[in-house]
Amino acid sequence: MSHNKILILDFGSQVTQLIARRVREANVFCEVHPCDVTDDFIRDYAKDGSLKGVILSGSHMSAYEESTDKAPAAVFELGLPVLGICYGMQTMAQQLGGKVEPGQSREFGYAEVRAHGHTALLEGIQDATNAEGHGLLKVWMSHGDKVTQLPAGFKVMASTPACPIAGMADETRKFYAVQFHPEVTHTQQGAAILERFVLKICAAKADWIMGDYIAEAVEKIRAQVGKEEVILGLSGGVDSSVAAALIHRAIGDQLTCVFVDHGLLRLNEGQMVMDMFGRNFGMKIIHVDATDQFMGKLAGVSDPEAKRKIIGKEFVEVFQAESGKLTAAKWLAQGTIYPDVIESAGAKSKKATTIKSHHNVGGLPDTLHLKLLEPLRELFKDEVRKLGVALGLPPEMVYRHPFPGPGLGVRILGEVKKDYADLLRRADAIFIEELRNTIDPATNKNWYDLTSQAFAVFLPVKSVGVMGDGRTYEYVVALRAVQTQDFMTAHWAHLPHELLGKVSNRIINEVRGINRVVYDISGKPPATIEWE
């Protein structure tokens, strides 16, 4: 690629991906790599001149311990700007001759930081001023250790009462560091600080724009695939849908999509996928209704992990059976996105933001004998959505709430049965319809757009009810709606009582077999967003 780029070295922080997302939001390309890459890797990464700066992430480690990770020395020898965040600041200080020690008092959560010295990073960026006229920043802290002695050439850039060196700068070498986390939304000027670093201090070009990216991606796919044929497992989710649209834009009828309906999709989703991609886009799609096969394998299974494995295994088997009929295909396309790549790479190096492996990253079943095409593997989810709209996919589809790979299989607690799935998908559709139809007067937005994820959950218990003059003994569904910036933490959505009442009435009246509706008011943590 010809884009300028920023290198982010990950020391294992839970929020490293947020740094990358903020940089991308400034329309600058960046990549995340484990902190223990070699000096040769750093020098090779920078040799074409496209690298404009380096960011060092936070970590749970202590910089003064011999066993902890350090930034490659080459980072400080490139002559490029470097920004250290939290642990990144501490390891910068320690490696360049300063001193880090355990703090007498820890800082976790909200803090007010006073800016010092009118440095290029913070000048003019503030939330308020104190009585003496000093700029104040409202930030998010998460540290127990602190820098107690500056390296040679550095000056104090920010401070708090508990942390006299909450920021430091060597403006000659363009080395900057902050003890707080500018990448999280709790730091109100965080996006402005990161944008200042990448656009002004690093002088990176803001040319990472999804509308412009299409031509670049199309050219890359054509060069990679040539005249060979490609197959793609189309789930109807955002990632596979955008991958399908992009690849089809590049190679047309060389692409064949296989859509496997496991009987655990949302209401009318199969028809929607066939209409959109088959009729509207003119793609070649093989539609496989494997409901009976999946339900048969899930019979009697109640453990959530066992259900996930069964659904994943059966999907692969069905897909392999269909792909075996497409003898001309040489490529398998997948909707792998950048967080999958970061997490899977981190799982191997033990530097991951979350230690989690993904079935669609880093390899294929040997029996497929296909090469791998992953056109979205450089993109974050929000970038995938922007790309989808630019490719002509309907925004209401592209911006749908996340839906788990196993589908309703993990929203039906306990054993999965076809009858349960039929009840749940109808209840869920009513909930989503009413969220879309209800406008919040304070924002003039509908409640579907105001929530990050909303869905219904089927509970395999019955409760007594009364309808007319008769007694009922029927199933229960729970409604779940959350609001979140990053899905790492989430708050339950304070939906209007009138909306909840209407949804409850409609479900009980229209879905025969359900006589009670409850609302989940658990946050994450301690609960997860999905129930299984």
Side-chain angles (χ1 to χ4, degrees):
M1 295 189 307
S2 59
H3 299 283
N4 288 178
K5 59 192 179 187
I6 300 293
L7 172 63
I8 300 168
L9 293 181
D10 180 18
F11 289 85
S13 168
Q14 292 295 307
V15 290
T16 298
Q17 285 189 32
L18 295 184
I19 303 173
R21 285 175 57 188
R22 298 292 174 262
V23 173
R24 297 278 186 96
E25 286 168 3
N27 298 120
V28 175
F29 182 72
C30 63
E31 289 185 329
V32 177
H33 287 274
C35 63
D36 54 2
V37 294
T38 64
D39 287 327
D40 286 342
F41 172 89
I42 296 294
R43 285 188 282 265
D44 187 62
Y45 196 85
K47 70 180 181 182
D48 67 355
S50 62
L51 180 62
K52 298 302 178 182
V54 180
I55 300 177
L56 310 177
S57 85
S59 174
H60 60 280
M61 298 179 288
S62 294
Y64 48 78
E65 294 179 356
E66 286 296 322
S67 60
T68 55
D69 289 311
K70 298 173 176 58
V75 165
F76 303 111
E77 299 166 358
L78 295 173
L80 295 174
V82 182
L83 173 64
I85 295 174
C86 195
Y87 178 87
M89 169 172 162
Q90 294 169 11
T91 197
M92 179 189 289
Q94 191 82 8
Q95 289 181 238
L96 297 180
K99 191 172 183 179
V100 178
E101 297 178 340
Q104 294 297 318
S105 60
R106 301 183 299 172
E107 286 185 302
F108 289 95
Y110 172 81
E112 275 194 354
V113 168
R114 176 195 155 186
H116 293 260
H118 302 289
T119 57
L121 183 67
L122 298 183
E123 185 173 8
I125 298 177
Q126 62 189 39
D127 292 304
T129 56
N130 61 16
E132 291 78 31
H134 302 128
L136 299 177
L137 292 167
K138 298 177 180 180
V139 305
W140 188 259
M141 289 281 199
S142 181
H143 70 102
D145 301 334
K146 61 184 179 182
V147 176
T148 56
Q149 181 179 317
L150 291 170
F154 280 79
K155 64 181 180 181
V156 173
M157 182 172 65
S159 66
T160 72
C163 186
I165 306 176
M168 63 182 194
D170 178 342
E171 299 210 273
T172 301
R173 290 184 287 180
K174 296 186 178 180
F175 292 169
Y176 298 87
V178 291
Q179 188 58 67
F180 57 88
H181 286 270
E183 69 273 30
V184 302
T185 55
H186 303 77
T187 298
Q188 295 185 13
Q189 299 295 329
I193 292 168
L194 287 169
E195 186 173 298
R196 171 75 60 81
F197 178 72
V198 299
L199 294 180
K200 299 298 183 182
I201 295 172
C202 297
K205 292 180 182 176
D207 61 358
W208 182 248
I209 300 166
M210 287 302 98
D212 300 338
Y213 177 72
I214 293 174
E216 183 179 317
V218 164
E219 182 180 343
K220 185 176 179 181
I221 291 167
R222 288 173 178 166
Q224 193 172 358
V225 171
K227 298 297 183 182
E228 295 177 333
E229 294 195 12
V230 178
I231 58 174
L232 179 146
L234 182 62
S235 69
V238 174
D239 300 337
S240 68
S241 296
V242 175
L246 179 60
I247 296 167
H248 187 258
R249 173 78 66 93
I251 61 174
D253 284 347
Q254 291 171 246
L255 171 68
T256 300
C257 297
V258 178
F259 173 54
V260 178
D261 185 346
H262 48 32
L264 299 167
L265 299 173
R266 289 167 283 199
L267 189 67
N268 300 325
E269 185 146 27
Q271 189 61 49
M272 181 272 289
V273 169
M274 295 304 295
D275 286 345
M276 181 182 303
F277 293 99
R279 293 177 179 82
N280 296 342
F281 278 81
M283 294 185 195
K284 294 191 295 185
I285 305 179
I286 299 170
H287 185 186
V288 184
D289 186 350
T291 300
D292 292 342
Q293 179 176 334
F294 278 85
M295 292 300 171
K297 294 289 186 179
L298 289 166
V301 179
S302 59
D303 178 75
E305 283 305 306
K307 290 192 295 184
R308 287 177 182 272
K309 289 177 181 177
I310 288 169
I311 293 168
K313 179 175 179 291
E314 291 306 307
F315 185 90
V316 170
E317 288 191 4
V318 174
F319 184 82
Q320 283 184 291
E322 293 301 322
S323 65
K325 302 172 187 176
L326 303 171
T327 55
K330 304 298 181 186
W331 293 85
L332 173 65
Q334 296 187 142
T336 307
I337 64 174
Y338 197 41
D340 302 339
V341 176
I342 295 171
E343 290 168 2
S344 292
K348 295 175 185 176
S349 68
K350 301 293 188 280
K351 302 294 187 300
T353 53
T354 9
I355 304 301
K356 179 173 69 172
S357 62
H358 291 259
H359 71 277
N360 59 339
V361 180
L364 302 168
D366 293 337
T367 52
L368 277 176
H369 303 296
L370 296 172
K371 295 175 281 188
L372 185 61
L373 178 64
E374 297 176 312
L376 309 180
R377 67 178 287 120
E378 296 174 333
L379 307 183
F380 284 98
K381 191 75 162 192
D382 50 348
E383 294 172 323
V384 173
R385 295 186 196 277
K386 291 176 184 175
L387 178 62
V389 172
L391 285 164
L393 294 175
E396 62 269 19
M397 188 281 283
V398 171
Y399 284 94
R400 280 195 305 177
H401 292 176
F403 189 64
L408 301 181
V410 291
R411 292 179 178 174
I412 297 170
L413 269 59
E415 182 181 4
V416 176
K417 297 181 180 180
K418 186 177 184 301
D419 291 348
Y420 294 173
D422 290 339
L423 291 173
L424 178 57
R425 77 177 100 248
R426 290 165 60 202
D428 185 78
I430 289 170
F431 185 28
I432 298 305
E433 180 183 340
E434 291 301 335
L435 287 171
R436 290 189 183 278
N437 289 342
T438 306
I439 303 297
D440 171 43
T443 62
N444 204 31
K445 293 182 178 180
N446 68 56
W447 275 100
Y448 185 83
D449 291 338
L450 290 172
T451 55
S452 308
Q453 193 167 2
F455 53 91
V457 179
F458 182 87
L459 307 184
V461 295
K462 289 186 174 182
S463 72
V464 174
V466 58
M467 290 188 183
D469 294 323
R471 175 185 184 273
T472 62
Y473 191 55
E474 295 176 335
Y475 291 107
V476 181
V477 293
L479 306 180
R480 179 76 158 142
V482 299
Q483 294 172 314
T484 177
Q485 293 287 331
D486 50 28
F487 290 90
M488 295 176 184
T489 62
H491 301 286
W492 62 276
H494 290 233
L495 300 180
H497 291 181
E498 295 80 5
L499 169 59
L500 291 171
K502 186 175 183 179
V503 172
S504 176
N505 286 339
R506 281 197 60 192
I507 290 174
I508 291 169
N509 286 326
E510 297 175 31
V511 185
R512 187 177 295 273
I514 296 172
N515 71 353
R516 191 175 298 270
V517 177
V518 299
Y519 188 50
D520 180 353
I521 58 169
S522 310
K524 177 187 180 183
T528 54
I529 295 174
E530 296 285 352
W531 277 44
E532 285 193 345

